[in-house]
Amino acid sequence: MQLLVNYEETAAIILFCIGFSTMMLHKNLIKKIIGMDMMDAAIFLFLASQGYIEGRKAPIVAGGVQSVEAYINPIPAGLVLTGIVVSVSVTALMLALAVRLYYRYHTLNLDEIIALAGKEEV
Amino acid sequence: MKSKMMNKLSEWLTDEASALEREMEASQERAADEDEAALTPAEIRWAQEEKEEEERIARRLNEWTDETGTKISRTLYSILCLVICLTLIVLLLYTVTELPSFGSPDHPINNEVSARYIEKGLQETGAVNIVTGMILDYRAFDTLGESSVLFTAAMVVLFLLRKDKESHKYSPLAKVMHDNPHSDTYYEPKNDIILQKTAFVLVPIVLLTGVYVVLNGHLSPGGGFSGGAIMGAGLILYVIAFGFAKMRRFFTYKTYQFVVLIALLTYACSKCYSFFTGANHIPSVIPLGTPGAILSSGLILVLNICVGFVVTCTMYCFYAVFRKGEL
């Protein structure tokens, strides 16, 4: 069963879909943001699991050993680092926008916000 | 003589114009009278009933679309979401079965790029930690972009949530602040003795751990981002325990701007230097040092410290702006 052999990727996919459905099905803006963060975390888990190689160490040169067979792949780690920083920024931005929407409409329900905004336009 | 004639002419002209207007109004009134006269009272009632019927139908249609329509569209939306989610999960799980086995060395991602980083990274960057050498030397431009993204996000959050003279009129939180100017925050405990004693012990330890992680970024796991996050947590703990008044003695909005701009400028200038020397094949004057020592790996230590400052200030800025609306 390849799904059980690739258990980290499978877990990442399931986490991604939980986050996706949270984002789509909930009306509360904060829950939508939580769903988005879960999707981010799933992608980081997936990327990090891609770089792992069985029985090798983290890419920190110790004892002058510099052969490729000794260390895991360093590239996904760098990509995940970039992703985490951007995800933190995006989360802060989304939360700030949610706070502003709450100040204006006194609700976090997206349907109500859309209805109120539609009435304002008329 | 001439002026008299002009006066008379203008009088005559205006008279003519007003006479024309009067004529038109009179004809309109006559037409309206004729219309009403032509309709019998029964016809008028019939027309009114028809109008009311139309309005009733329109109102019922509106109510129907408001209630049933939104219900139907909501159900449709949920069903569509579930279908999309299930399709996505099936497709992605199918893709996972096609991936190479987890942890296998012959994964196509383990190609000559990672081999190059591992085999030559220490000699070329001087950093024992290959990931740090990669993100702060080979891909340093990308990391500058990351720090700028953090700075931009902090600026936008400040722009969205910053308290001003008018804000207490529309924001409840700002109104609480406005009405009680001496309360640090309305909801959180003030001068909590347990929190203050704990913070008194913990804040220096947390800050020192952050400094250690930043300065050891090229030797051990860590670096500017993780160390900066730890130091930001230390600052946040300090401000929770002792309040903004004490924090403002050494950290204000101006400090934030100054520190972050200096850090980003230092980063950009030092990277400009290494790009310039590298592109023109000039040997860099910055020694790489012995691998494993604190003062080694050339510019990476400086860049780590810059990134650490940016992240520390940004974390604290996020907290302060979300809690209070200002730094």
Side-chain angles (χ1 to χ4, degrees), chain B residues 38-58:
Chain B
L39 290 170
T40 58
E43 273 175 329
I44 292 169
R45 212 185 310 130
W46 184 70
Q48 271 177 354
E49 272 170 14
E50 197 179 23
K51 215 180 199 177
E52 275 171 17
E53 183 68 27
E54 271 172 17
E55 274 173 8
R56 212 178 304 133
I57 289 171

Side-chain angles (χ1 to χ4, degrees), chain A residues 2 5-6 8 13 21 24 50 52-54 56 59-61 66 68 73 81-82 85 89 92-93 100 103, chain B residues 77 96-97 99-103 107 109-110 114 118-119 122-123 128 130 135 146 156 160 171 173 221 225:
Chain A
Q2 195 68 14
V5 176
N6 288 344
E8 264 196 43
I13 297 297
S21 44
M24 298 288 275
Q50 291 302 300
Y52 178 71
I53 300 168
E54 191 93 49
R56 298 191 188 173
I60 294 168
V61 176
Q66 270 194 290
V68 185
N73 194 335
L81 193 71
T82 311
V85 173
S89 314
L93 195 56
R100 282 307 292 251
Y103 280 171
Chain B
Y77 176 78
V96 167
T97 61
L99 281 176
S101 303
F102 174 64
H107 196 297
I109 201 174
N110 302 320
S114 65
I118 290 172
E119 281 168 353
L122 182 58
Q123 280 75 31
V128 174
I130 292 171
I135 62 165
E146 266 174 75
V156 175
L160 283 172
S171 99
L173 188 64
F225 290 107

